[in-house]
């Protein structure tokens, strides 16, 4: 699945979870202090007070039982500078801010992080995090905004071209199978990104360093070549260029989708 994340900061979150899985579990002297971590990666729907939707989840737990008494509230793990309840038996390294920072990082990702009691006997405290899975529309908006923000002083242009079959021409046409594959095959710029809306059938192409005229030329060429690839099918197009037509993805998508015209 596609997710949007800051790899460096997410790596710090994973470091913090691994360290705390070890910190709050017993040490087996027979294995010279080494603890085994159970890790599960899954994609599943989540419904809760804070986050709801489809998430990529990561769960970690030590194979050793918890050290000391379980806390009254597992939310205490994420309170900054929260002292350990049993300072004589637990490893007390660090300032106690790692998990507090991890929660802030996951919040910025629109995700979640939690600690829960052991799920089975002999298992340590269970730490989990979740990152939202992006739809293709989410991806499209992220890509457009990233391209717009990367423009140097608005000197370079980012254009989008939206193309879809004309409903009036589809009745007598052959099924427009693999239309997205046809579009990808006709593009020659490595910087072009193609996104298909599975509901509406619209295909959006995001182009770096491309002004309005360049987008129009591409639209004309694609329409001509697609007519050959899919006989009997005509197309509608819509274009927009940033920052001329807007400084955000929402601006450009709105402008292009309100300018449909025959190719």
């Amino acid at each position: 699945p596609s997710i949007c994340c800051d790899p460096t900061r997410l790596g710090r979150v994973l470091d913090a979870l691994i360290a705390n899985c070890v910190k709050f579990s017993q040490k087996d002297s027979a294995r010279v202090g080494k603890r085994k971590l159970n890790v599960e990666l899954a994609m599943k729907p989540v419904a809760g007070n804070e986050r709801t939707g489809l998430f990529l989840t990561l769960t970690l737990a030590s194979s050793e039982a918890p050290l000391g008494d379980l806390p009254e509230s597992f939310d205490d793990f994420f309170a900054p500078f929260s002292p350990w309840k049993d300072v004589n038996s637990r490893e007390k390294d660090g300032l106690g801010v790692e998990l507090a920072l991890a929660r802030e990082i996951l919040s910025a990702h629109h995700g979640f992080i939690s600690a829960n009691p052991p799920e089975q006997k002999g298992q340590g405290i269970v730490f989990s995090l979740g990152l939202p899975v992006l739809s293709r529309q989410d991806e499209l908006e992220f890509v457009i905004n990233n391209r717009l923000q990367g423009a140097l002083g608005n000197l370079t242009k980012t254009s989008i071209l939206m193309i879809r079959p004309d409903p009036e021409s589809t009745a007598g046409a052959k099924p427009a199978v693999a239309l997205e594959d046809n579009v990808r095959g006709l593009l020659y710029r490595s910087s072009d990104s193609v996104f298909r809306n599975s509901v509406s059938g619209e295909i959006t192409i995001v182009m770096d360093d491309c002004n309005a005229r360049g987008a129009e030329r591409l639209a004309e060429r694609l329409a001509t070549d697609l007519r050959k690839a899919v006989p009997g099918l005509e197309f509608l197009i819509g274009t927009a260029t940033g920052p001329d037509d807007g400084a955000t993805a929402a601006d450009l998508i709105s402008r292009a989708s309100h300018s449909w015209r025959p190719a």
Side-chain angles (χ1 to χ4, degrees):
S2 296
I3 59 173
C4 181
C5 73
D6 181 325
T8 299
R9 286 167 177 78
L10 191 61
R12 293 173 183 170
V13 171
L14 296 178
D15 286 343
L17 289 185
I18 292 170
N20 280 275
C21 280
V22 172
K23 183 183 296 183
F24 290 99
S25 64
Q26 296 178 7
K27 185 179 297 185
D28 187 346
S29 58
R31 286 188 286 175
V32 199
K34 293 183 179 180
R35 302 171 178 87
K36 180 180 178 181
L37 293 181
N38 299 316
V39 182
E40 177 185 314
L41 187 67
M43 185 172 67
K44 56 187 178 182
V46 173
N49 295 329
E50 295 184 3
R51 300 283 185 257
T52 300
L54 190 63
F55 284 79
L56 185 67
T57 63
L58 179 72
T59 303
L60 298 106
S62 171
S63 60
E64 304 296 335
L67 185 63
D69 298 329
L70 293 177
E72 296 179 4
S73 172
F74 285 88
D75 202 53
D76 290 344
F77 283 113
F78 302 95
F81 306 108
S82 177
W84 316 131
K85 293 192 174 183
D86 190 352
V87 296
N88 294 320
S89 60
R90 289 179 178 167
E91 300 174 16
K92 188 184 179 185
D93 56 344
L95 297 175
V97 297
E98 299 97 337
L99 291 179
L101 292 173
R103 170 170 282 185
E104 293 299 318
I105 291 171
L106 264 296
S107 177
H109 283 76
H110 300 288
F112 65 84
I113 188 168
S114 62
N116 296 285
E119 295 178 346
Q120 56 192 26
K121 186 177 181 181
Q123 185 183 57
I125 296 169
V126 179
F127 290 91
S128 302
L129 66 82
L131 293 165
V133 174
L134 300 179
S135 67
R136 287 296 279 171
Q137 185 66 23
D138 292 332
E139 288 184 76
L140 172 61
E141 294 183 8
F142 273 116
V143 167
I144 294 174
N145 282 326
N146 185 58
R147 304 282 176 85
L148 289 170
Q149 292 171 9
L152 299 176
N154 294 339
L155 295 177
T156 58
K157 307 292 185 181
T158 295
S159 292
I160 67 169
L161 163 63
M162 300 178 74
I163 186 167
R164 71 179 185 187
D166 185 344
E168 295 183 1
S169 72
T170 57
K174 296 180 180 179
V177 293
L179 186 57
E180 182 181 359
D181 290 340
N182 279 314
V183 170
R184 289 183 181 277
L186 294 172
L187 294 173
Y188 56 86
R189 290 164 45 126
S190 61
S191 59
D192 294 333
S193 300
V194 182
F195 298 83
R196 178 177 177 272
N197 187 317
S198 59
V199 177
S200 65
E202 298 168 3
I203 294 175
T204 302
I205 304 165
V206 185
M207 298 163 285
D208 284 338
D209 194 19
C210 180
N211 58 22
R213 180 55 190 149
E216 292 292 343
R217 286 198 299 267
L218 177 63
E220 293 168 6
R221 183 174 67 84
L222 276 181
T224 299
D225 292 343
L226 283 173
R227 288 190 189 99
K228 299 175 182 177
V230 191
L233 198 62
E234 296 295 327
F235 297 90
L236 300 175
I237 60 170
T239 58
T241 298
D244 300 351
D245 298 326
T248 68
D251 295 337
L252 297 190
I253 293 172
S254 176
R255 178 66 176 265
S257 62
H258 283 84
S259 64
W260 290 113
R261 56 196 182 278

